[in-house]
Amino acid sequence: MIYRVFTSDERIKNELDILLQLFDRGLSVLHLRKKKWSIDIYRKFLQTIPKEYHKKIIIHDQKVLLDEFDVGGFHLSTTQFNEMDKNELVKLRQRSFLWGVSASAHSFKEIDPLLKNVDHLVVGPVFTSISKTDYHPTFEWNVQHLSNADRLIAIGGMSDKVIGQAHQLGFNQMGFLGYIWMNDDPVKQFDKLCLKMNDL
C-alpha cells in the first residue's frame, strides 16, 4: 500500500516543518502542487527541503525545475499533457525518476490511452471531496477488474475512514489532501492514517 500526500494550493502555516515531520514519520511520496506559486517561490521552497527527501517529491507544473532538482517524479497537468508530443513524453519518462511521470483521469475511458504515455494516473474523485465544495463522484471507481489498477492513485475524499473501502475497490495507491491539511494538526492526521494503513 502506497499513500501519497498532496500539498494544499493555499499557504499553510509552518508547512515546511510539517512536511519534514511527515517525511520523518515515513511519508513515501509528496506531491508538491502549488498552482499559485511562481517558479522562484517553488525553487526557494525546494531549496529549503533537505536533499535526502527530494527523491520522495513529485513536482507539479514547473517542468523546468527537473533540471535543477533530483526529484522523484513529475505530474503533468491536463494542459501540459495535451501540449506535449509523444517524443517529449518518451524523453520525460526515460529520466531516472523513482516514482515516474503521472497525469490525471476523471473517467474509465481515459485510463488506457493515458497509461500508454505515463506511469501512474491520479483518478477521482473516488469519494466526496474534503477540500472542494460540491465535488462528488459521478460513478463508482471500482478498478478491481483492471489489469493496470496498481498504476492508479485514488484521490477525492480520502481519509482514514474510507481507505479500507478504497482498497476493496482495487486501489493500492491513495492520495490524501483535505484530510491532512484541513485540520489543526496535520501530523496527527498522518499518524492516524499510518495506524489505519497498518491494519489493512
Side-chain angles (χ1 to χ4, degrees), residues 25 48 59 67 74 86 113 130 146 153 185 198:
R25 282 166 152 76
T48 62
I59 58 175
D67 295 325
F74 187 70
K86 284 200 171 183
I130 298 169
L146 300 181
I153 303 152
D185 193 339
N198 290 335

Side-chain angles (χ1 to χ4, degrees), residues 1 126-127 141-144 152-176 197 200:
M1 188 81 67
V126 175
F127 305 105
W141 278 99
N142 190 328
V143 300
Q144 293 180 83
L152 304 179
I153 303 152
I155 200 166
M158 298 303 301
S159 74
D160 62 323
K161 294 179 175 59
V162 299
I163 56 175
Q165 189 178 344
H167 189 54
Q168 289 178 348
L169 289 171
F171 290 101
N172 288 312
Q173 297 196 68
M174 302 173 197
F176 300 86
M197 285 284 193
L200 290 179

Side-chain angles (χ1 to χ4, degrees), residues 3-162:
Y3 41 98
R4 301 169 178 237
V5 169
F6 286 67
T7 59
S8 170
D9 268 339
E10 305 303 321
R11 285 193 174 274
I12 302 293
K13 185 179 179 182
N14 301 321
E15 186 168 17
L16 177 62
D17 180 58
I18 292 167
L19 292 178
L20 295 182
Q21 288 185 66
L22 298 188
F23 284 133
D24 286 341
R25 282 166 152 76
L27 176 62
S28 299
V29 192
L30 173 74
H31 280 253
L32 186 57
R33 177 178 175 269
K34 296 287 188 180
K35 291 182 179 179
K36 299 175 184 178
W37 281 10
S38 69
I39 190 166
D40 289 332
I41 296 173
Y42 230 115
R43 181 182 289 112
K44 286 176 184 175
F45 191 78
L46 278 166
Q47 287 169 342
T48 62
I49 298 174
K51 287 184 179 179
E52 65 259 32
Y53 296 130
H54 286 187
K55 286 285 190 186
K56 296 184 174 187
I57 298 172
I58 292 174
I59 58 175
H60 289 228
D61 307 312
Q62 303 290 2
K63 185 170 169 283
V64 68
L65 294 178
L66 297 177
D67 295 325
E68 301 177 36
F69 298 92
D70 189 18
V71 293
F74 187 70
H75 182 88
L76 288 161
S77 68
T78 301
T79 301
Q80 285 175 320
F81 180 84
N82 290 335
E83 289 176 351
M84 269 194 185
D85 62 39
K86 284 200 171 183
N87 289 332
E88 285 181 290
L89 282 166
V90 168
K91 286 179 182 176
L92 187 60
R93 290 182 73 187
Q94 285 175 342
R95 299 178 74 145
S96 57
F97 294 129
L98 178 63
W99 296 103
V101 176
S102 58
S104 298
H106 302 288
S107 68
F108 277 103
K109 67 181 181 181
E110 295 176 280
I111 291 174
D112 284 337
L114 284 169
L115 282 180
K116 290 176 182 175
N117 298 292
V118 297
D119 303 294
H120 299 279
L121 281 179
V122 177
V123 300
V126 175
F127 305 105
T128 298
S129 175
I130 298 169
S131 59
K132 293 180 182 178
T133 306
D134 295 326
Y135 191 50
H136 311 280
T138 54
F139 53 87
E140 184 181 61
W141 278 99
N142 190 328
V143 300
Q144 293 180 83
H145 63 289
L146 300 181
S147 60
N148 47 24
D150 61 322
R151 297 169 63 191
L152 304 179
I153 303 152
I155 200 166
M158 298 303 301
S159 74
D160 62 323
K161 294 179 175 59
V162 299

